[in-house]
């Protein structure tokens, strides 16, 4: 059967992708940020996951204000790279796992999570920047990806609790797939940031570090954070953190913390990164 072996969460700031693509990772500004991912890149080389269930949000790139699914699952053979205004990032096409994705769609929907099934879509920095952070610049991505897109751009996004429970359902879905696959679940976005309005530039390290602690030891307490609290404490884009709860829900009750990194700032955002493995 397929197994969930670990969970990764990371910010997905587009400027990180640009720094990688333009060869600026060693600059004074970027070097300390990329240092926090060195351990992770080595670790994932040894882990060799077959598939990543990659939870991210589309930033009105593939979707638009005309169509915004709350939760969507990518069931295609592959996913091309969005043009977000500067041409598509020069990264490999993302290969899907249509069999696992179709199984997950069935399992999740019959488990009462009404996923939008997507057979064709492009993916933006929300999905590609985490891949670049973890795998660098390969000719082809060394894993297949099942994209799970979450609406955090148009009110109302799903609650943290709904996301946490979706994570639990993702675990049931993966573990009932009859093929021996090493599967990781990733949650992307965050940490605190606000890109617009009077409080643009807001970063809250106290909130973020407490969030990192609770991701490991007390995720139930994170699942009850209301939207307004994300807005006040973590800025208007801090709501992306609900996607970390999907990853955490998929890990089961207890986890081992393998790696943690926190860095301020990258572009307008506090970068947070966590790697955990389930203990049960
Ligand atoms: C930034 C961060 C994001 O998560 C995003 O989607 C876009 C921009 C930023 O910090 O610039
Ligand atoms: Fe984002």
């Amino acid at each position: 059967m397929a197994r969930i072996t670990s969970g990764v969460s990371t910010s997905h700031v587009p400027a990180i992708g640009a720094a990688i693509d333009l060869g600026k990772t060693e600059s004074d500004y970027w070097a300390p940020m990329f240092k926090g991912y060195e351990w992770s890149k080595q670790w994932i080389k040894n882990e060799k996951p077959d598939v990543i269930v990659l939870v991210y949000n589309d930033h009105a790139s593939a979707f638009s204000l005309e169509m915004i699914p709350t939760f969507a699952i990518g069931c295609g053979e592959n996913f091309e790279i969005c043009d977000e205004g500067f041409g598509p990032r020069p990264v490999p096409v993302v290969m899907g796992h249509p069999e696992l994705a179709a199984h997950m769609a069935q399992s999740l929907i019959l488990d009462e999570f009404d996923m939008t099934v997507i057979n064709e879509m492009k993916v933006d920095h929300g999905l590609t920047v985490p891949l670049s952070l973890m795998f660098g610049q390969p000719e082809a991505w060394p894993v297949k990806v099942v994209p799970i897109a979450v609406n955090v751009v148009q009110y109302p996004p799903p609650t943290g609790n709904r996301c946490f429970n979706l994570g639990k359902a993702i675990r049931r879905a993966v573990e009932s797939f009859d093929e021996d696959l090493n599967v990781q679940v990733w949650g992307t976005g965050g940490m605190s940031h606000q890109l617009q309005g009077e409080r643009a530039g807001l970063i809250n390290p106290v909130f973020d570090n407490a969030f990192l602690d609770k991701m490991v030891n007390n995720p139930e307490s994170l699942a009850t954070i209301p939207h307004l609290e994300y807005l006040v404490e973590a800025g208007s884009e801090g709501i992306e953190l609900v996607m970390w709860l999907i990853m955490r829900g998929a890990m089961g009750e207890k986890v081992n913390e393998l790696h943690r990194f926190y860095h301020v700032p990258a572009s307008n955002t506090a970068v947070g990164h966590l790697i955990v493995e389930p203990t049960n």
Side-chain angles (χ1 to χ4, degrees):
M1 303 303 269
R3 298 155 285 129
I4 293 182
T5 55
S6 47
V8 174
S9 58
T10 175
S11 307
H12 62 211
V13 182
I16 294 175
I20 294 170
D21 301 342
L22 301 171
K24 293 190 175 156
T25 58
E26 315 267 294
S27 70
D28 288 350
Y29 182 84
W30 286 112
M33 204 284 312
F34 284 103
K35 206 161 188 307
Y37 287 82
E38 272 168 23
W39 186 92
S40 317
K41 286 168 83 171
Q42 201 49 52
W43 169 81
I44 206 158
K45 261 189 206 150
N46 299 329
E47 289 291 304
K48 296 189 183 64
D50 300 303
V51 185
I52 293 162
V53 175
L54 207 161
V55 181
Y56 77 110
N57 69 289
D58 178 86
H59 301 73
S61 310
F63 309 142
S64 70
L65 294 185
E66 289 168 9
M67 234 184 272
I68 308 177
T70 301
F71 295 121
I73 180 164
C75 297
E77 289 279 350
N78 53 58
F79 306 95
E80 293 197 1
I81 312 300
C82 282
D83 182 348
E84 298 180 62
F86 300 93
R89 287 191 62 211
V91 295
V93 165
V94 175
M95 304 306 294
H97 195 305
E99 297 81 11
L100 175 60
H103 167 83
M104 287 179 66
Q106 173 168 317
S107 176
L108 291 171
I109 291 167
L110 298 184
D111 213 355
E112 302 185 344
F113 288 85
D114 303 320
M115 312 298 289
T116 297
V117 174
I118 299 200
N119 293 319
E120 194 178 329
M121 72 168 169
K122 293 184 176 177
V123 289
D124 76 4
H125 68 269
L127 187 139
T128 63
V129 166
L131 286 175
S132 298
L133 278 166
M134 295 298 292
F135 293 116
Q137 294 176 290
E139 285 285 305
W141 299 119
V143 282
K144 295 184 169 173
V145 174
V146 174
I148 305 273
V150 181
N151 167 38
V152 289
V153 300
Q154 164 85 64
Y155 190 84
T159 63
N161 192 50
R162 184 74 174 150
C163 289
F164 191 54
N165 286 330
L166 175 60
K168 294 179 188 172
I170 285 175
R171 181 167 181 167
R172 292 191 286 274
V174 169
E175 290 183 347
S176 57
F177 186 61
D178 191 12
E179 195 182 321
D180 182 26
L181 292 176
N182 175 351
V183 178
Q184 293 185 355
V185 180
W186 293 10
T188 79
M191 296 192 91
S192 57
H193 62 304
Q194 171 146 345
L195 301 176
Q196 66 244 303
E198 274 178 31
R199 298 203 310 159
L202 176 142
I203 283 177
N204 184 348
V206 173
F207 177 90
D208 290 340
N209 283 295
F211 196 97
L212 286 164
D213 287 341
K214 289 176 187 160
M215 275 289 289
V216 178
N217 296 322
N218 191 358
E220 288 81 9
S221 70
L222 297 178
T224 59
I225 296 177
H227 287 142
L228 203 54
E229 190 173 328
Y230 281 105
L231 191 68
V232 171
E233 297 294 335
S236 53
E237 276 67 47
I239 189 64
E240 289 184 345
L241 284 167
V242 292
M243 296 184 288
W244 289 36
L245 295 178
I246 297 178
M247 177 281 262
R248 186 58 185 83
M251 294 299 110
E253 237 169 83
K254 294 223 163 20
V255 294
N256 277 334
E257 177 177 339
L258 299 178
H259 181 58
R260 183 196 293 216
F261 177 61
Y262 184 72
H263 175 82
V264 174
S267 187
N268 302 294
T269 299
V271 165
H273 175 40
L274 195 61
I275 303 184
V276 295
E277 63 182 4
T279 59
N280 49 320

